[in-house]
Amino acid sequence: KKNLSDMMESRSEVLFRGRCLGQLWFFSIMAAWGMYLELYTYFAEYKVLRADDDDNAVALTTYFSMIYSASQFLGSPIMGWLSDTKLGRKKILLTGIIVNTLGFPTMAA
C-alpha cells in the first residue's frame, strides 16, 4: 500500500516532468520561429524576388507573417467552435495534421 506522502511525491514528480517538457516545447517553438524568420528573409530575397534587395525581402516577410497571424486569429475560434459543437476534436485535429503534412511538400516544391 502507498501512503499519502508517496502519492504526493509521485504527483509532484509528474508535475515537474510535465513542466520541464512544456518549457522544452516552448523553447523549441521559439527557436524554430527565429530560424524561420532568418531563412524566410533569405528565400524571399534570393529565390522569390531574385535580387539583392533587403528592403523588399523584409517587407515581404513581414506581410506574410501578418497574414499568417491574422489567419490564426480569425481561424482559431472557428476551428474551436467546430471541434466543440459539430465535428469533435479528434476529427478536427486529424484534419489539421493531414493538411499540415500535405502542406510541407507543397511549400518545398
Side-chain angles (χ1 to χ4, degrees):
K1 260 185 165 179
K2 287 187 174 183
N3 59 15
L4 185 60
S5 64
D6 289 340
M7 290 191 319
M8 293 301 286
E9 231 176 309
S10 63
R11 185 169 188 265
S12 64
E13 289 173 5
V14 169
L15 290 175
F16 177 74
R17 191 176 325 122
R19 183 174 291 152
C20 288
L21 288 174
Q23 289 171 347
L24 179 66
W25 175 82
F26 183 76
F27 173 77
S28 63
I29 294 295
M30 291 297 108
W33 184 251
M35 288 186 283
Y36 160 78
L37 288 178
E38 292 297 323
L39 291 173
Y40 193 78
T41 305
Y42 166 77
F43 283 114
E45 185 175 354
Y46 292 107
K47 302 295 183 187
V48 176
L49 298 174
R50 303 202 192 285
D52 191 13
D53 189 5
D54 286 338
D55 292 336
N56 285 338
V58 170
L60 187 64
T61 303
T62 303
Y63 294 143
F64 281 145
S65 297
M66 288 170 47
I67 290 169
Y68 176 77
S69 299
S71 299
Q72 273 195 324
F73 181 75
L74 296 174
S76 292
I78 295 169
M79 296 302 281
W81 175 76
L82 282 174
S83 70
D84 286 342
T85 58
K86 295 280 184 182
L87 301 173
R89 289 198 174 116
K90 278 187 180 179
K91 290 179 184 175
I92 293 294
L93 288 172
L94 187 61
T95 304
I97 291 169
I98 290 170
V99 169
N100 196 16
T101 303
L102 295 175
F104 281 121
T106 305
M107 287 188 297

